[in-house]
Amino acid sequence: MIKAAKFLSVQALCIAGSLLPATHAARAQPVLRVCIDSSSPTAARDQAVADRVARQAGLTLAVTPFNGGSGDDDGVSAKEFRAMLTSACELVMGYPVDTAGPALPPGLLATKPYAQTGFVLVTAPGETARSLSDLPNGTEIAVTYETAPNLYFARHGNVLADVHMSDAETMQTIASGKVKAAMLWRPTVDEYEAHPGAVNLGVFPLDEPHARYDVVALYLPRSARQAESFNATKISVDASAPAAGLPALFTDTQAKAGYAKFLGNCAQCHGTHLEGRSGPALKGPNWANAKADYTVGEVFTVVSQQMPATGPGSLEHADYEQIMAYLLQQNGYPAGDKPLQFDQATMSKVKLLYHGS
Ligand code: HEC
């Protein structure tokens, strides 16, 4: 016995010796382990974000795919998340949290948001409506049983519910043209749109309770260091990633009033068409691009605190709101029925990317 043990230990030493260089290398480049739902249409985006975090933090990325079963209402349970975070990874990507009241699985923490998702209004080709209140009286809207959008009918007397038992069925109903509109969970629509031959539908975020979600990564308290790396990484959500609809952040009235005020206060330096003069251009792919990685809040803060350069902060709050509405409209953002408000605009994390043509 003793002999055997001795033999073993010598052999173990030899093995350890032969492995030393590899172990050493692994230590020099620590690993960031993430779990990604490979069944989600946003898996590629989740992977790109994780790549970026690892690169900036000098970590080697190790991805463990899992099947969250898209289309299945049950999804992944809190217990399964915990199991993954205990054994397979430090971060689980792609978890949606309601912006109205973030609810996380018990015991788990969330990184900063790295994308937006939620329930969207989907409209048939040729429809001009961009929100529920735009739809003509009596319009039937396909919706999935027991999802938040069922509550919106009570707030909008002009529309009627056409209830289906699954997201797949609701998606099919709007895609086949049986209804003019539907309300769906955005990833369901993204998944549909990824198929060749998909009908070109309108997709607009809903400005309703419990419709807006932030996408975060989940972690356990013991992975706080990895979460810190995540939060320290500047993340630009690729404009070409599946994210069809843009949020409506201002009203048409604001944008129109904003144009007049822009001419009066800003155009002398930024040009009458935002093309730039002594001040930089404020429109187009050379300005609001993924590299610049602006949020609406960052740009609005510059505008409201440093502009006009001749009198920083000298305009009324309403003037800044309107000018910002004009600036967003010119960069391809849609008008909606809720006005842009000063404090909300200052804090907005919505990406400002040029979406015009
Ligand atoms: C007297 C000239 C002048 C006027 C008037 C002026 N700006 Fe500027 N603006 C500038 C200059 C110059 C810069 C660049 C400053 C810098 O980068 O440090 C700038 C920068 C900006 C930026 C930041 C652009 C970026 O990419 O960093 C925004 C946004 C902006 N201005 C908006 C406005 C708006 C809106 C108004 C009107 C309310 C306005 N400006 C009025 C000269 C002006």
Side-chain angles (χ1 to χ4, degrees), residues 103-333:
L104 296 173
L108 301 186
L109 303 169
T111 63
K112 70 173 178 183
Y114 61 88
Q116 274 79 44
T117 190
F119 291 101
V120 288
L121 176 69
V122 185
T123 57
E127 274 297 317
T128 53
R130 288 166 170 268
S131 70
L132 290 176
S133 32
D134 291 345
L135 289 160
N137 272 337
T139 305
E140 272 196 283
I141 305 190
V143 67
T144 310
Y145 180 65
E146 281 196 337
T147 54
N150 288 281
L151 305 171
Y152 308 159
F153 294 98
R155 299 158 48 98
H156 296 274
N158 56 320
V159 289
L160 301 169
D162 171 37
V163 183
H164 297 269
M165 293 314 291
S166 71
D167 280 347
E169 212 180 296
T170 308
M171 189 71 242
Q172 187 52 37
T173 307
I174 176 74
S176 64
K178 287 196 197 113
V179 289
K180 294 250 180 285
M183 290 191 278
L184 276 157
W185 183 236
R186 176 177 241 153
T188 307
V189 185
D190 290 341
E191 197 178 4
Y192 165 78
E193 288 186 328
H195 287 122
V199 181
N200 201 0
L201 301 163
V203 182
F204 308 99
L206 283 158
D207 211 351
E208 302 289 333
H210 308 293
R212 305 260 173 134
Y213 283 67
D214 283 330
V215 182
V216 300
L218 294 177
Y219 65 97
L220 287 171
R222 66 178 192 187
S223 302
R225 212 159 26 89
Q226 287 82 355
E228 218 168 274
S229 298
F230 190 103
N231 291 339
T233 305
K234 216 169 182 222
I235 294 159
S236 65
V237 180
D238 181 0
S240 66
L246 288 172
L249 301 167
F250 56 90
T251 63
D252 203 35
T253 315
Q254 280 185 311
K256 286 205 180 98
Y259 180 45
K261 290 186 178 157
F262 183 88
L263 288 181
N265 297 290
C266 324
Q268 69 198 87
C269 300
H270 293 282
T272 50
H273 302 286
L274 300 157
E275 74 277 20
R277 293 175 115 190
S278 60
L282 301 176
K283 173 182 177 171
N286 293 330
W287 179 58
N289 54 35
K291 195 156 162 250
D293 195 25
Y294 294 127
T295 63
V296 170
E298 285 166 350
V299 172
F300 187 72
T301 301
V302 171
V303 170
S304 62
Q305 293 183 2
Q306 299 172 25
M307 294 292 139
T310 39
S314 60
L315 307 183
E316 301 289 332
H317 278 198
D319 297 336
Y320 284 122
E321 290 161 356
Q322 291 163 358
I323 289 170
M324 190 67 197
Y326 169 64
L327 215 149
L328 287 168
Q329 184 210 47
Q330 290 299 302
N331 281 283
Y333 286 73

